[in-house]
Amino acid sequence: MTRRVVVLGLDGLEASIVEKYRFPNLCQVEHGRVKVPICPHAGEPSTPVVWMSFLTGKPPKEHGIDRSVIYSNPFIDFVFRHIQNSTMRRFVLKFNRVRRFLESHGFLKKRMPRKSELKASTLLDAITPSIGIDIPVLHKDVDIKYAGLIDAILGKNRDEYLAFLFRDFADVKNRLFKALNMNYRFVMAHFSITDLYGHIFCKDESMVAGLYWVMDSLTRQVSQTLKREDLLLIVSDHGINREYGHTPYGFYSVNHKLGLSNPDITDFYNIILEWCKR
């Protein structure tokens, strides 16, 4: 009997909020926190870095992705590479006019690391057939979702940005369900909305919890499409604190008892590989 694995990558899903509200579908048979790599220069987990550790089963020094963004301007890139994310965040929020000036002159043009810079194979390479949907590093279109985030945090064009996030969520969801109706053995869909919405409303837990109910409903809908022997894994790369930063842990939830205890994000590589082989 062929078994498959479906991964819902809920970027920035905060474990403490999930634990507090006990969302019935997000909290599956087994769930808990996950150890994730902390980027030395950032001082916190970084989305591209953690997801590549998840998909390769290797630490950043082995898979080669060790930073969140690369700036086009070499000087800016050198400077920002040596400034921790928390410091950058305070600068951007306090000196917004400076940020706008630098952006208008092209100094802050940036991108995520690309697949060509990845030095290890992923689960998508190891499992056939498989599909990944909107995964950072592997799919460059993910970059555009972050444009406008700072303005939205500061209250400018927030409604327009939120509308964009929910349109994007609907698009990723539709592509996910199309994939679930096909014969893929491994399906992974990455949802940015939990991260971006979480950054905007990190000081208002009730707003964040409201979105998590939407993700809880998504989980229920996905689980209804699966067979009993399939593995449904919900995983996040980090959480979000009340100062717009990343918490030093992720979250996981599975519909089968695996017996894990404080797993590392890299542990899931072999678990998924073995599950698909059975």
Side-chain angles (χ1 to χ4, degrees):
M1 183 180 294
T2 301
R3 306 199 303 181
R4 64 174 172 172
V5 175
V6 176
V7 175
L8 301 182
L10 306 186
D11 203 297
L13 189 78
E14 173 53 46
S16 64
I17 296 178
V18 177
E19 293 162 354
K20 178 178 178 179
Y21 288 83
R22 299 287 300 177
F23 298 95
N25 298 288
L26 291 177
C27 295
Q28 300 182 92
V29 173
E30 180 177 312
H31 56 87
R33 298 191 180 193
V34 175
K35 292 183 289 185
V36 295
I38 306 299
C39 302
H41 73 279
E44 61 185 30
S46 164
T47 288
V49 178
V50 179
W51 286 120
M52 288 307 100
S53 289
F54 171 77
L55 278 171
T56 64
K58 298 180 182 298
K61 64 180 180 181
E62 293 184 29
H63 64 61
I65 305 299
D66 64 352
R67 57 197 300 199
S68 56
V69 296
I70 299 171
Y71 289 86
S72 299
N73 183 289
F75 175 74
I76 294 292
D77 188 67
F78 174 81
V79 171
F80 285 1
R81 186 178 175 86
H82 294 84
I83 298 178
Q84 289 203 348
N85 285 7
S86 56
T87 303
M88 274 294 300
R89 206 171 288 117
R90 287 194 295 270
F91 171 81
V92 167
L93 294 175
K94 187 173 182 179
F95 299 102
N96 193 40
R97 290 184 179 180
V98 175
R99 174 184 67 86
R100 289 183 177 278
F101 174 82
L102 292 173
E103 285 183 340
S104 66
H105 288 76
F107 290 108
L108 297 186
K109 186 177 181 180
K110 59 187 178 182
R111 64 170 176 82
M112 279 189 180
R114 295 283 183 248
K115 184 178 180 180
S116 59
E117 294 156 337
L118 184 63
K119 298 178 181 178
S121 60
T122 71
L123 286 166
L124 295 163
D125 302 311
I127 302 171
T128 305
S130 63
I131 185 172
I133 302 170
D134 269 29
I135 300 175
V137 178
L138 303 186
H139 304 123
K140 64 181 181 181
D141 288 346
V142 176
D143 289 32
I144 65 173
K145 301 181 186 185
Y146 293 83
L149 174 60
I150 298 299
D151 282 340
I153 289 174
L154 295 171
K156 182 177 181 180
N157 300 322
R158 179 175 290 182
D159 290 343
E160 293 90 338
Y161 186 72
L162 291 174
F164 161 73
L165 290 184
F166 279 98
R167 288 195 303 270
D168 176 72
F169 167 70
D171 175 64
V172 176
K173 179 180 176 180
N174 287 337
R175 285 187 281 156
L176 167 62
F177 280 97
K178 286 182 181 179
L180 292 175
N181 286 324
M182 302 178 74
N183 294 320
Y184 294 111
R185 296 176 63 199
F186 175 58
V187 177
M188 177 176 174
H190 173 266
F191 290 89
S192 299
I193 189 170
T194 37
D195 176 68
L196 302 172
Y197 191 96
H199 279 300
I200 295 170
F201 295 110
C202 64
K203 294 183 182 295
D204 187 343
E205 185 181 287
S206 64
M207 289 293 291
V208 177
L211 177 67
Y212 285 13
W213 281 114
V214 175
M215 308 315 289
D216 188 81
S217 177
L218 169 68
T219 305
R220 176 180 53 79
Q221 293 170 46
V222 170
S223 65
Q224 290 173 345
T225 71
L226 304 182
K227 298 177 181 178
R228 182 176 298 179
E229 64 271 15
D230 294 335
L231 183 70
L232 175 58
L233 168 63
I234 299 165
V235 64
S236 72
D237 52 339
H238 56 76
I240 297 175
N241 61 37
R242 290 181 175 269
E243 299 303 321
Y244 307 101
H246 295 170
T247 51
Y249 50 79
F251 174 80
Y252 86 99
S253 169
V254 284
N255 61 339
H256 289 268
K257 194 70 175 176
L258 299 180
L260 300 177
S261 178
N262 195 29
D264 192 284
I265 196 77
T266 57
D267 293 340
F268 293 105
Y269 181 91
N270 286 330
I271 291 171
I272 292 171
L273 207 57
E274 288 302 316
W275 198 275
C276 288
K277 286 181 178 179
R278 296 180 187 177

